[in-house]
Amino acid sequence: MAEGRSAEGTDNNAGASDDVVDEQTPVQLVYRPQSADTLAGLRVRERIKRTGLLLRGVFLALWGGQWLLASVGRGSIDAVSTALFLFVVLVVWGYPRLQAAQVQRITGWQGEYRATVSPAGITCRSDHSTLVQKWSVFQGYRETAGHFVLLSRDPNIMCLDVLPKRGVHEAGDLDRLRAILDQHTTRM
């Protein structure tokens, strides 16, 4: 992070109040993507879109109703119907985890990621690729306990950028990152 700053920039900030956050200085995050990062992003997306949660809930309710009606109609619980219902519950519960594991297989082999968040946008580099995104790509972001999740503008929110807080290595960088995000996109 030090190579991106000039001596003048640090001198100007030395006299500033501790409450003032510099939104112009880029924030560097270094991390290895984990399946839990993607899962956090998918959960945020589900809470904002709600259609996935609604469809999974309706699907589960229909299967539960079918199982209950079949059991009441026969007067006893059928082992096959119960096994199928439990399988459906497992699939509905596990689907986001399967998606997160698939994304991890796609991105995990690239190793360490170095993300730079600046007033110009987000640049994410690995040993194999570089992705540059301007702020106009994002409709907003949501902060969780361990992540900043940026959501794309498309109606289905097909693109997520998950910035894990563990990637920040300097004190005060989380506040600067939050200030940059607040300045260039909306909190959702």
Side-chain angles (χ1 to χ4, degrees):
M1 183 72 190
E3 71 261 9
R5 293 184 184 171
S6 67
E8 294 170 20
T10 55
D11 288 342
N12 289 341
N13 291 334
S17 169
D18 289 340
D19 294 339
V20 176
V21 177
D22 180 18
E23 297 95 4
Q24 299 304 314
T25 305
V27 176
Q28 184 85 25
L29 291 91
V30 180
Y31 60 94
R32 285 189 169 276
Q34 298 175 355
S35 185
D37 299 334
T38 304
L39 187 57
L42 290 172
R43 285 181 176 151
V44 166
R45 178 180 168 230
E46 280 183 350
R47 287 185 193 114
I48 289 174
K49 268 188 76 175
R50 298 196 189 277
T51 55
L53 285 174
L54 179 67
L55 289 174
R56 288 188 351 204
V58 168
F59 184 68
L60 196 57
L62 288 174
W63 267 93
Q66 182 273 338
W67 175 79
L68 187 61
L69 287 174
S71 297
V72 169
R74 279 191 296 274
S76 66
I77 296 176
D78 181 32
V80 174
S81 293
T82 303
L84 282 174
F85 177 66
L86 292 176
F87 176 73
V88 167
V89 169
L90 182 65
V91 168
V92 168
W93 173 82
Y95 184 71
R97 288 154 186 81
L98 291 172
Q99 280 182 304
Q102 180 64 29
V103 170
Q104 180 62 30
R105 281 191 290 275
I106 293 169
T107 60
W109 67 271
Q110 294 185 38
E112 188 174 79
Y113 279 63
R114 295 166 301 283
T116 304
V117 181
S118 70
I122 299 175
T123 303
C124 190
R125 291 181 175 85
S126 72
D127 292 338
H128 304 281
S129 65
T130 299
L131 174 65
V132 178
Q133 295 173 311
K134 294 182 180 182
W135 291 112
S136 59
V137 171
F138 303 108
Q139 67 172 308
Y141 81 97
R142 182 164 291 177
E143 183 176 358
T144 68
H147 303 87
F148 290 98
V149 180
L150 290 109
L151 305 153
S152 66
R153 279 195 189 280
D154 65 285
N156 292 321
I157 311 175
M158 297 303 289
C159 179
L160 296 173
D161 277 14
V162 181
L163 302 173
K165 291 180 180 178
R166 71 177 182 280
V168 173
H169 296 291
E170 291 186 26
D173 276 355
L174 279 179
D175 291 330
R176 274 201 350 260
L177 177 57
R178 194 175 292 112
I180 291 171
L181 292 173
D182 285 336
Q183 183 180 12
H184 297 284
T185 187
T186 58
R187 187 181 295 246
M188 300 179 79

